[in-house]
Amino acid sequence: MRVLPLIFHWLSYLSVCDGYRLLGLFLIPRTSHFVMFEQLMKGLARKGHHVDMVSSYPLKKPYPNYTDLVTLPITREVVNKLSYAKMNILFTVNPMYVIGALGGNEVCEHLGNTKIKELAQPKNPSYDAVIMEVHGAQCFSIIAHLLKIPMIGVSTTGTLYSWLPQIIGQPENPAFVSNIILGFTTPMNFWQRLCNVLRTLYDKWFFDYLTTRVQDRLIRENFGPDMPSVRELERKLSLILVNSHITLHGVQPRTPAVVDVGGLHIHAENETLQPELKKWMDDSKDGFIYFTFGSVTIETFPHEFLRILYASLGKIAPVRVLMKVTAPEKLPSGLPENIHISPWMPQLMVLRHSNIKVFITHGGLMGTQEAISCGVPVIGIPLFLDQFTNINAYVVKNIAIRLDINEITERSMDAALNAILQDPLYRESAQNLSRRFLDRPLNAIDTATYWIEYVIKYGENSLRSPAMDMSWLQLSLVDVIGFLLFCAIIIIAVIVFIVQFTLKLKHKDSNTLYSKKFKAN
């Protein structure tokens, strides 16, 4: 078998051959998404399948059965370059615009790339499936449509964005499944449920309004005027692999075509610790804290925030702090002696070290899943999108303490550090959650591989929900409810008629009897 996966900004293609032949086209400027796709494709390659990738992130070292076919330029670089100011502009004004326009329409411009167009041409041997990230750029569904092969999606978020369940027939229940942008936890009160419903309806409408016309135009300009709409194309998905797990995201309605593979990216293959870093961690006998905001550069945060960090983190000595800082020269002076900074470090290996005590993070799903797998408690300072949802869920599970970036003080930071370092509840809860998170019949990569092969072997409709072929009126049982109401009205009307008719007859008989008596008298 042969698979063509195309990992595009929000896309990857997969085709299964005697091994897999994976062609990954990935243009998103954030490695946090690509990490999951890379590990998925490497996992397939380890099973003897062949992977050809088109992306902006070529491997630094050769990997068996994995070939970087085309390396495309990064149009919007944010890896370790997303400043605090830029983050506020991008994500606090309207996060939907970031996803729909920048993460969707802007990426779909690459449909005009000659090398992308060539992927839609028939191949010999032919491809068996397309794998794409389902997020904002579903325009790349056109490749699977033209090749007439199954299309498989991957979601890097734990809960699908509100416009995605409908494209796979996923049941929706906003009564207890929170919109990923709102960050509510279950159970929600009345006002939260009301807000959840209204925000979900708005997000669906806004995303469709923002992306449909633009992406339809790009599809038809590059592949022909008679091509289907992106909204029609995306509904041909056969399977979505979701970066979720029941221990983290709770019980949610699931169609068999939506499969949880949370933690798929957690794999430290061939990673090594720098000798200096290893020695520093080994020598941290009183323990150390690992602090990173991922691609958001800590040194660009307001000086008051950095002052609070310096003051609070300096107080916990002899506990040490390992902090990711891309440009140390931009940090204000006065860095406490117990803080060690580095522009890069193998995060999973750091989290697995026996001396680590706490992980301070912005709450990205990939990083927090790694911490959970290692049983490390968290201090979360969420900054944007699903990070609020993630941290709020971890707080409920007693593995995290949340701090608000806009309200943080030295006192609140001190309290969080003291609590999570001294109260055994957090570490015990984290270790218990780790055991539950890792306790599965199959690990994440084997689960993903099984269902990808299942769809390829048994056809694109093998997991298709009947809901995909029904209108919203039918799905909501509006027609059934309407019919039952109609029947109820008819029955009530008949009963009323019979009662009125009976009363009239009785009244008429009474009048007749009275008249006879009157005449007799």
Side-chain angles (χ1 to χ4, degrees):
M1 265 193 288
R2 183 176 177 185
V3 175
L4 163 70
L6 231 155
I7 303 178
F8 212 61
H9 164 83
W10 312 107
L11 173 80
S12 61
Y13 297 101
L14 173 66
S15 98
V16 185
C17 121
D18 300 305
Y20 287 128
R21 187 120 194 174
L22 308 177
L23 174 61
L25 179 56
F26 180 78
L27 302 181
I28 184 172
R30 293 189 65 201
T31 55
S32 59
H33 286 254
F34 186 74
V35 165
M36 182 176 177
F37 292 107
E38 180 182 325
Q39 290 303 329
L40 173 60
M41 300 308 151
K42 280 185 173 180
L44 292 167
R46 287 193 299 273
K47 294 181 180 297
H49 306 301
H50 304 287
V51 177
D52 294 332
M53 295 290 287
V54 178
S55 75
S56 298
Y57 302 99
L59 297 182
K60 296 179 180 179
K61 297 179 181 179
Y63 198 90
N65 298 328
Y66 186 115
T67 303
D68 286 299
L69 193 63
V70 179
T71 300
L72 297 169
I74 298 175
T75 56
R76 189 181 293 272
E77 176 65 77
V78 296
V79 178
N80 293 329
K81 295 183 179 180
L82 184 59
S83 67
Y84 179 80
K86 185 183 292 186
M87 177 202 70
N88 277 331
I89 294 173
L90 284 176
F91 295 106
T92 59
V93 176
N94 189 346
M96 291 297 299
Y97 176 80
V98 177
I99 298 170
L102 305 185
N105 299 344
E106 185 175 287
V107 175
C108 288
E109 295 285 348
H110 291 285
L111 285 176
N113 188 302
T114 303
K115 294 176 181 177
I116 301 303
K117 289 183 178 180
E118 290 176 356
L119 295 171
Q121 301 301 315
K123 305 293 187 299
N124 187 18
S126 62
Y127 296 113
D128 299 302
V130 167
I131 297 183
M132 55 177 284
E133 182 177 9
V134 286
H135 194 86
Q138 278 73 265
C139 55
F140 296 103
S141 305
I142 188 63
I143 306 295
H145 172 74
L146 292 173
L147 294 178
K148 297 180 173 59
I149 54 179
M151 178 169 58
I152 296 166
V154 182
S155 171
T156 57
T157 59
T159 299
L160 294 176
Y161 282 103
S162 55
W163 55 88
L164 295 177
Q166 61 195 22
I167 71 176
I168 196 71
Q170 169 86 329
E172 298 179 76
N173 196 327
F176 66 93
V177 179
S178 173
N179 186 306
I180 191 172
I181 293 176
L182 293 176
F184 295 146
T185 57
T186 303
M188 292 181 278
N189 61 36
F190 171 79
W191 297 111
Q192 288 175 326
R193 285 184 284 115
L194 176 62
C195 180
N196 197 40
V197 170
L198 295 178
R199 180 59 194 252
T200 297
L201 292 174
Y202 167 78
D203 286 352
K204 289 183 178 183
W205 170 82
F206 188 80
F207 181 82
D208 288 352
Y209 170 79
L210 190 65
T211 64
T212 301
R213 183 173 56 181
V214 174
Q215 295 188 20
D216 284 355
R217 174 180 59 80
L218 291 170
I219 289 171
R220 289 161 185 165
E221 282 179 357
N222 292 289
F223 295 96
D226 58 341
M227 291 295 103
S229 167
V230 64
R231 301 283 80 91
E232 181 182 349
L233 288 169
E234 67 186 4
R235 290 173 61 85
K236 295 183 179 181
L237 272 169
S238 300
L239 170 70
I240 297 182
L241 304 173
V242 186
N243 191 20
S244 172
H245 191 265
I246 190 171
T247 57
L248 307 186
H249 300 97
V251 175
Q252 297 185 21
R254 280 281 191 264
T255 173
V258 176
V259 177
D260 290 340
V261 292
L264 183 148
H265 68 289
I266 303 175
H267 190 76
E269 185 180 30
N270 297 326
E271 284 195 358
T272 57
L273 285 169
Q274 307 96 309
E276 178 189 357
L277 178 58
K278 184 177 185 306
K279 183 179 186 306
W280 185 91
M281 292 193 295
D282 290 343
D283 291 343
S284 301
K285 302 303 181 183
D286 294 292
F288 70 90
I289 290 173
Y290 175 48
F291 189 168
T292 178
F293 280 160
S295 292
V296 186
T297 50
I298 291 176
E299 59 271 24
T300 64
F301 276 64
H303 274 226
E304 175 59 18
F305 175 75
L306 295 176
R307 184 199 67 77
I308 292 170
L309 290 185
Y310 281 20
S312 293
L313 295 176
K315 294 175 186 176
I316 63 174
V319 176
R320 292 171 155 188
V321 180
L322 180 60
M323 183 184 295
K324 179 185 174 185
V325 178
T326 306
E329 68 278 4
K330 295 182 180 180
L331 282 176
S333 59
L335 187 72
E337 293 182 0
N338 65 326
I339 298 180
H340 175 77
I341 60 175
S342 175
W344 179 87
M345 51 203 79
Q347 180 162 291
L348 187 55
M349 298 192 72
V350 170
L351 290 168
R352 285 177 174 172
H353 197 278
S354 59
N355 288 338
I356 190 168
K357 297 291 186 183
V358 183
F359 180 35
I360 301 180
T361 173
H362 57 339
L365 184 57
M366 303 290 187
T368 53
Q369 283 181 341
E370 291 174 358
I372 288 167
S373 72
C374 299
V376 179
V378 169
I379 292 179
I381 310 176
L383 303 176
F384 52 83
L385 294 180
D386 65 329
Q387 294 166 8
F388 296 91
T389 300
N390 299 335
I391 296 300
N392 289 346
Y394 303 152
V395 169
V396 172
K397 299 178 189 302
N398 293 319
I399 68 165
I401 295 176
R402 173 180 163 175
L403 296 174
D404 191 325
I405 187 65
N406 297 313
E407 299 176 2
I408 191 170
T409 63
E410 186 177 336
R411 183 176 180 179
S412 64
M413 188 70 182
D414 289 346
L417 287 167
N418 290 332
I420 208 157
L421 286 171
Q422 297 175 14
D423 190 341
L425 170 66
Y426 294 101
R427 177 161 289 275
E428 290 171 1
S429 298
Q431 291 175 343
N432 180 55
L433 184 61
S434 175
R435 288 189 290 270
R436 294 175 57 202
F437 179 66
L438 298 174
D439 190 357
R440 318 177 187 198
L442 286 176
N443 63 35
I445 186 62
D446 288 340
T447 300
T449 300
Y450 173 83
W451 287 108
I452 288 171
E453 292 176 347
Y454 186 94
V455 167
I456 293 169
K457 285 190 290 185
Y458 300 114
E460 61 182 5
N461 293 326
S462 54
L463 298 175
R464 184 178 177 84
S465 169
M468 297 299 297
D469 302 312
M470 301 173 69
S471 69
W472 71 269
L473 287 171
Q474 294 170 315
L475 281 174
S476 303
L477 293 176
V478 172
D479 53 347
V480 173
I481 294 172
F483 176 77
L484 293 176
L485 286 175
F486 175 76
C487 291
I489 291 171
I490 295 298
I491 291 171
I492 292 171
V494 170
I495 292 173
V496 169
F497 173 78
I498 292 173
V499 170
Q500 289 179 337
F501 182 75
T502 303
L503 291 175
K504 284 182 179 179
L505 287 177
K506 186 176 181 180
H507 182 69
K508 182 178 180 180
D509 291 343
S510 298
N511 287 340
T512 302
L513 180 62
Y514 177 79
S515 177
K516 289 181 178 180
K517 287 183 178 180
F518 180 78
K519 289 179 178 180
N521 291 333

